[in-house]
Amino acid sequence: MSEDIMTGDTLIEIVENQLEDGNPIKVKETLMRLMMTGHAREDAIAFIASALAIEVFDVMKNDAPFNTKRYAENLDCLPEMPWQEEAE
């Protein structure tokens, strides 16, 4: 996997593709939830891309499979991002 995938634009493109494909459905549910609570679509997509970045980074760093369960759990946390606190 190329390190280019970690760019913000690429992550946002992946999120948009997930939304278009309806897979995982949790992405669309999260987008709707964030927008219904007052977040602009652009901001909501950026939040989702941040949660996606955690999984992509793990795949690249640890040569691990994509963890869909953890991705869903991180989506449930949005707009809070507890994984940022862990990194500090």
Side-chain angles (χ1 to χ4, degrees), residues 46-59:
F47 284 137
I48 295 168
S50 178
L52 176 63
I54 298 301
E55 296 314 314
V56 172
F57 180 77
D58 189 56
V59 168

Side-chain angles (χ1 to χ4, degrees), residues 5-63:
I5 200 163
M6 290 302 288
T7 67
D9 289 344
T10 302
L11 290 168
I12 287 171
E13 183 178 335
I14 293 169
V15 171
E16 292 288 3
N17 288 339
Q18 289 177 332
L19 288 166
E20 186 176 319
D21 295 343
N23 187 21
I25 192 66
K26 179 64 91 174
V27 173
K28 185 173 184 174
E29 292 169 352
T30 302
L31 176 65
M32 294 297 108
R33 177 177 55 82
L34 290 170
M35 290 176 60
M36 287 175 26
T37 56
H39 297 279
R41 186 181 192 281
E42 183 178 313
D43 293 338
I45 296 291
F47 284 137
I48 295 168
S50 178
L52 176 63
I54 298 301
E55 296 314 314
V56 172
F57 180 77
D58 189 56
V59 168
M60 292 171 56
K61 181 180 178 196
N62 300 315
D63 196 29

